[in-house]
Amino acid sequence: MKTFDDWLASPWRRGTLAAVAGALPVLAFPAPSWWWFAYAALVPWILLARGAPTPRRAAYDGWCGGFGFMLAMHHWLLPSLHVFTVVIAGLLGALWAPWAWLVRRFLAGVPTRGQVAAALVVLPSAWLCVELVRSWQGLGGPWGMLGASQWQVTPALRLASVGGVWLLSFLLVAVNVAVAVLVAVREARVPAMAGLVATAAATSAAWVWSPRPDADGRARVAVVQPGVVDGTDSGDRRFDREEQLTRELAGQDVDLIVWGESSVGFDLGERPDLARRIAALSRATGADVLVNVDARRSDRPGIYKSSVLVGADGPTGDRYDKMRLVPFGEYIPARSLLGWATSVGRAAGEDRRRGTEQVLMNAGHGLHLGPLVCFETAFPDMSRRLTEDGADLLVGQSSTSSFQDSWAPAQHASLAALRAAETGRPMVHATLTGVSAVYGPAGQRIGPWLGTDASATAIYDLPLADGVTPYVRFGDWPVHAALLVLAALSLTEGARALRLRKNAPAPHVPPARTAHESPAHPGR
């Protein structure tokens, strides 16, 4: 009778199981949003890698699991990128191979208490380094970091103000490792339970002692979401709808009006009529209007995506050109090699141009805002920099209209909660077609979401905050700590290998024969 181990002996079966195990954590993110599942979602993957027959097989389990995670997290890209979605998932999945190798290294068989204690630090550190590498904009950015699954959990948001989303990812992996040991290794349950207690104690201490944002005034911000507008003249009709909705805000005493990404499809320098119409809206409502222009610029070559602030007298001069572009969506990496992607999916026909620096804008009413465009809201360092520069309010302008019926809009809207909690600044996430959302300085949700079926405006009374969170002050210190842990591990493993080689018995060498000796009569 075949056992489960016999069934797993097939590389294809094992690889498929690893891919499924790697995909499980995605259920903790929107749209399912089973945030509690994140505390055990890695356990099947860990147990599979732990039981791998060889280190090489464990690394392969890590690769397959990483492939499953990346494909499940970005499955909504399939209609746009087609085969490239699978290729990218396969390439990035390889980042988890060393992590799974370490899982086997520390947890295979019956690990000692020292191995379990080391695993509770090393494995989360290795996971953080995977997230660090794939956070590079050229690899797609930090979409789907494990810690981001906790965007609606108040204690987790408090911890994000201490160490950012990085700290949440570290702690989640540590808990998963401890749970896996509790499930599979009876002899090591004491150190696993001690690890859980230590994690709970550390997070409780951070909860008690980390500073809270100090209330410092309020601001009324309106979001204008026109909804889906299709057709050959969609740019003009979208602008008309946005204008109509914005006029409804007259007399509402708002301090700022925010339109979504690509809300204006024409350069305002070439279309002064549109600039005058937006300025008229500013005069009618008494608030500056932050629009987003997606067009070829009239003052320099190339297409830019730009946040532009328009006041009662026209554009104020505050303009931010998007710096971090979406691979394939807004530019094609190595276009000379991969340009054929435009023939199999909705990849960028022409590369957008990049901005060179972040910009702080003065919206009047004593309100300084820091704009971010599209998936720039996934990058913790960008919102942190704007907060350091003096932003009172973070604003993300986005459009997920190509992915309306997928998990993407909700996933994107949830990221603003993390950025708000990390920086201690409220954040507005305004989109063309939903989901639009607003969060307070502690990451708490404020007011209703505007869903993907809404064509409307919404006004939010935002509490402003002062002070600096530990994350803004100290930056990505969990990542730095993780790198130190792995550096120490490398040194320790290197010293161990040298010691084993030095203490190894010398190989048996038969005595040398001289030219005058024969095998049958040695010595003659």
Side-chain angles (χ1 to χ4, degrees):
M1 182 176 179
K2 286 188 176 182
T3 65
F4 183 66
D5 289 338
D6 294 330
W7 185 84
L8 278 181
S10 167
W12 287 104
R13 290 172 183 163
R14 189 180 185 96
T16 300
L17 186 61
V20 172
L24 290 178
V26 176
L27 297 175
F29 294 81
S33 271
W34 299 348
W35 62 266
W36 44 268
F37 186 56
Y39 295 87
L42 298 179
V43 171
W45 193 3
I46 291 172
L47 295 180
L48 189 65
R50 169 186 174 271
T54 65
R56 183 175 181 179
R57 181 66 243 190
Y60 189 70
D61 291 341
W63 190 344
C64 292
F67 168 79
F69 178 78
M70 295 304 294
L71 186 62
M73 181 59 67
H74 299 89
H75 71 275
W76 41 268
L77 287 173
L78 282 167
S80 295
L81 296 185
H82 301 295
V83 68
F84 268 98
T85 308
V86 178
V87 172
I88 292 169
L91 292 174
L92 295 181
L95 295 174
W96 277 272
W99 176 78
W101 183 91
L102 287 172
V103 169
R104 186 185 185 278
R105 162 70 178 81
F106 285 97
L107 298 181
V110 181
T112 66
R113 293 188 177 187
Q115 286 177 312
V116 172
L120 290 170
V121 178
V122 171
L123 297 182
S125 297
W127 184 281
L128 235 59
C129 288
V130 173
E131 292 196 337
L132 175 66
V133 173
R134 76 180 186 89
S135 293
W136 180 48
Q137 181 264 331
L139 293 179
W143 192 283
M145 294 174 69
L146 188 61
S149 65
Q150 306 302 293
W151 64 277
Q152 55 185 332
V153 182
T154 300
L157 292 172
R158 184 72 181 280
L159 291 176
S161 73
V162 177
V165 68
W166 309 103
L167 180 58
L168 300 185
S169 290
F170 184 98
L171 294 174
L172 283 173
V173 177
V175 170
N176 274 271
V177 171
V179 171
V181 173
L182 287 174
V183 168
V185 188
R186 181 185 300 273
E187 296 83 355
R189 287 179 178 175
V190 171
M193 184 59 69
L196 287 176
V197 172
T199 301
T203 54
S204 298
W207 167 265
V208 172
W209 295 108
S210 62
R212 292 173 171 82
D214 296 323
D216 185 25
R218 303 188 72 83
R220 281 173 63 83
V221 179
V223 172
V224 175
Q225 180 176 300
V228 177
V229 180
D230 294 322
T232 55
D233 60 343
S234 59
D236 289 307
R237 291 191 293 111
R238 179 181 297 112
F239 189 94
D240 292 342
R241 179 59 177 158
E242 289 163 335
E243 184 179 39
Q244 176 189 4
L245 290 171
T246 304
R247 287 197 178 281
E248 297 175 2
L249 297 171
Q252 299 291 324
D253 193 28
V254 295
D255 299 311
L256 176 68
I257 300 170
V258 183
W259 292 8
E261 179 189 11
S262 304
S263 49
V264 179
F266 311 93
D267 183 79
L268 295 180
E270 288 191 345
R271 292 290 303 272
D273 58 312
L274 298 183
R276 288 193 295 269
R277 289 166 66 180
I278 300 172
L281 294 173
S282 176
R283 291 192 296 271
T285 58
D288 287 355
V289 183
L290 183 69
V291 302
N292 189 271
V293 177
D294 184 1
R296 194 175 303 277
R297 289 185 63 162
S298 58
D299 57 343
R300 64 181 65 175
I303 302 174
Y304 289 79
K305 281 193 175 181
S306 306
S307 299
V308 179
L309 192 63
V310 181
D313 299 322
T316 65
D318 287 334
R319 179 185 188 119
Y320 166 66
D321 297 323
K322 185 178 181 181
M323 297 171 61
R324 297 182 182 175
L325 304 178
V326 180
F328 294 98
E330 294 171 339
Y331 79 103
I332 295 182
R335 181 176 285 272
S336 60
L337 180 64
L338 302 176
W340 57 272
T342 58
S343 64
V344 298
R346 288 178 284 181
E350 178 181 348
D351 291 352
R352 299 299 197 271
R353 302 295 182 93
R354 303 175 189 274
T356 57
E357 61 181 358
Q358 292 188 261
V359 175
L360 195 66
M361 298 181 177
N362 185 354
H365 307 282
L367 186 64
H368 293 87
L369 63 96
L372 299 164
V373 182
C374 191
F375 93 139
E376 289 181 333
T377 62
F379 292 86
D381 65 301
M382 297 193 75
S383 53
R384 176 173 168 257
R385 173 64 62 84
L386 288 169
T387 303
E388 288 180 320
D389 291 342
D392 303 306
L393 171 69
L394 301 174
V395 179
Q397 294 174 295
S398 175
S399 172
T400 50
S401 54
S402 299
F403 314 104
Q404 281 295 93
D405 299 320
S406 72
W407 294 356
Q411 284 182 11
H412 202 174
S414 70
L415 296 175
L418 273 298
R419 303 294 87 83
E422 289 167 345
T423 59
R425 298 294 182 269
M427 183 161 183
V428 174
H429 178 79
T431 72
L432 285 184
T433 58
V435 172
S436 295
V438 175
Y439 302 92
Q444 75 275 24
R445 181 170 161 178
I446 294 180
W449 278 12
L450 290 179
T452 54
D453 58 347
S455 176
T457 61
I459 299 174
Y460 300 89
D461 287 302
L462 298 180
L464 302 180
D466 199 4
V468 177
T469 65
Y471 176 69
V472 171
R473 184 182 301 275
F474 300 112
D476 301 329
W477 63 265
V479 177
H480 303 153
L483 292 173
L484 288 175
V485 167
L486 295 184
L489 174 66
S490 299
L491 292 174
T492 302
E493 290 292 301
R496 177 173 171 269
L498 288 175
R499 186 168 58 252
L500 290 175
R501 182 179 299 179
K502 182 178 179 180
N503 295 334
H508 175 72
V509 179
R513 300 189 183 98
T514 66
H516 301 288
E517 291 178 337
S518 67
H521 303 283
R524 289 180 55 183

